[in-house]
Amino acid sequence: MNLHDDPAEAAFRAELRDWLRSRLPDDDPSRTWSTAELRDWSRDLSAAGYAGITWPKEYGGRGLSAAYQAIFVEETARAGAPDHINIIGMNMVGPTLIAHGTDEQKARYLPGILSGRTLFCQGFSEPDAGSDLAAVRTSARRAEPDGYLLDGEKVWSSYAHLADYCLLLARTGPAEPKHQGLTCFLLDMRAPGVKVSPLRQLNGDTDFNQIILTDARVDDGDVVGEVGRGWSVALSTLAHERGTFGITLTARLVAQFDRLLRLVHEVGAEDDPAVRRELAMLHARLQGLRYTGYRSLAALRRSGEPGAESSILKLEWSLLHQRVCALALRLQGPAALLDGGDAAWHGYWQRQRLRSRANTIEGGTSEILRGIVAERVLGLPRSRQ
């Protein structure tokens, strides 16, 4: 595991820093980006070659190693840059289609994913099938003369209100064991029978959504992978989510910790022994998270697939982010209740703290991730409870 840039990586980092400085103002955590601004930003990323960095060149990417993607997320986090508007398409759907999609699906969707023209969401979680994804109840029954009709409900679908398409898991074999009889589909979010409703979070955001499906039609050409083999496709999608997202989230948490240190100085708490002790603990855990991410990168470079170790990244990141945000509010004291105007930093930390409450639930609950780490990383036997 090499922790230093080689000459080519150093050149890429320097080029990226120059590009970011030319397009972004100083780091402003209180800034909000409109959908139109995010689309423009994503189009600029694609035009400059910073979208699909690790995708094969034949699909519009640069064919670079995961180390370059790590450099990208580190530098964009440091610069306060927003994510690509199509982050689910870029990091989850695109790699899934490259691995399991047909040539027609790749040609139809991959260029739009990179440019941000074709936005994707994910339809995996359900009211009774979040932590236990294999318990999916959304049904897909054969239609005449071909295709399927989908009925069911999906929840916690990020950006479904903006998405053009959804990578969705449904049950095509109701009589088969729950890990079998599942199939992945590409669903047109504007098709008849698809209804999207926002789910408001504690901080007021509505990025999560509920999707209701009533006889929503998909064609045979919309099946990803083989019929009845959707479980393996879904695992591939989730591995990419936890692998690449884990690295991204860690880089953004490093930038978040730097903002916390600035806050400590602003409120004059740098000599408080209790604050110093907690900062030291957070810093140590953050460094452990960073190096775990580097190990995950090394494994990704060897095998081409994120390993089960990536679950550690998401698990530890979610707990650390909550601790960082909670400490920020404690440091502000009564001022943490202020919002807007000259108190933009106060409003920022308030929103971050409220948003962080979902971190240990979304993307796999902490309980599920601990089970994955226990069984697939530590080799412990499966619990009989």
Side-chain angles (χ1 to χ4, degrees), residues 233-254:
V233 178
L235 289 183
S236 176
T237 303
L238 293 175
H240 282 287
E241 176 188 21
R242 290 167 186 164
T244 55
F245 276 18
I247 296 167
T248 301
L249 293 173
T250 300
R252 294 198 176 278
L253 186 55
V254 170

Side-chain angles (χ1 to χ4, degrees), residues 59-239:
Y59 300 122
R62 294 178 67 166
L64 298 175
S65 72
Y68 288 85
Q69 182 66 25
I71 291 171
F72 173 80
V73 298
E74 287 174 353
E75 295 301 325
T76 52
R78 184 176 291 114
D83 289 321
H84 192 289
I85 192 173
N86 208 10
I87 188 169
I88 292 178
M90 289 278 299
N91 293 340
M92 298 167 64
V93 179
T96 298
L97 290 179
I98 289 172
H100 301 282
T102 64
D103 290 341
E104 190 278 332
Q105 289 170 346
K106 295 172 185 176
R108 181 179 180 186
Y109 296 110
L110 295 182
I113 289 175
L114 284 180
S115 67
R117 294 193 312 271
T118 306
L119 303 186
F120 267 89
C121 64
Q122 175 188 314
F124 282 8
S125 295
E126 298 181 3
D128 296 315
S131 297
D132 183 10
L133 183 59
V136 160
R137 295 183 179 180
T138 294
S139 66
R141 66 184 191 278
R142 287 297 298 179
E144 296 296 338
D146 57 35
Y148 295 83
L149 295 176
L150 306 180
D151 290 279
E153 177 184 354
K154 300 292 181 178
V155 293
W156 317 124
S157 296
S158 299
Y159 314 119
H161 61 302
L162 301 175
D164 302 297
Y165 294 93
C166 178
L167 178 67
L168 180 141
L169 190 64
R171 188 164 296 283
T172 47
E176 299 181 46
K178 69 177 187 178
H179 288 88
Q180 301 174 23
L182 294 170
T183 303
C184 270
F185 296 94
L186 297 168
L187 171 70
D188 184 344
M189 292 297 289
R190 293 170 179 78
V194 179
K195 180 183 178 182
V196 177
S197 300
L199 300 173
R200 189 168 299 279
Q201 299 158 232
L202 281 173
N203 65 349
D205 289 349
T206 54
D207 292 338
F208 289 151
N209 296 269
Q210 173 195 50
I211 304 173
I212 300 294
L213 304 171
T214 306
D215 289 343
R217 187 182 184 90
V218 291
D219 296 330
D220 288 338
D222 296 324
V223 174
V224 181
E226 299 178 31
V227 174
R229 299 295 299 274
W231 180 247
S232 61
V233 178
L235 289 183
S236 176
T237 303
L238 293 175

Side-chain angles (χ1 to χ4, degrees), residues 5-21:
D5 294 343
D6 64 26
E9 292 166 350
F12 176 85
R13 188 185 295 273
E15 172 192 277
L16 175 58
R17 284 179 177 176
D18 289 341
W19 187 84
L20 290 169
R21 277 194 294 267

Side-chain angles (χ1 to χ4, degrees), residues 257 264 269-285 323 327 330:
F257 186 76
V264 169
E270 61 268 23
D271 294 325
D272 185 317
V275 172
R276 292 169 68 90
R277 183 167 55 251
E278 184 156 6
L279 286 174
M281 181 275 295
L282 290 173
H283 176 74
R285 289 179 62 175
R323 293 287 294 269
L327 177 57
R330 291 203 304 274

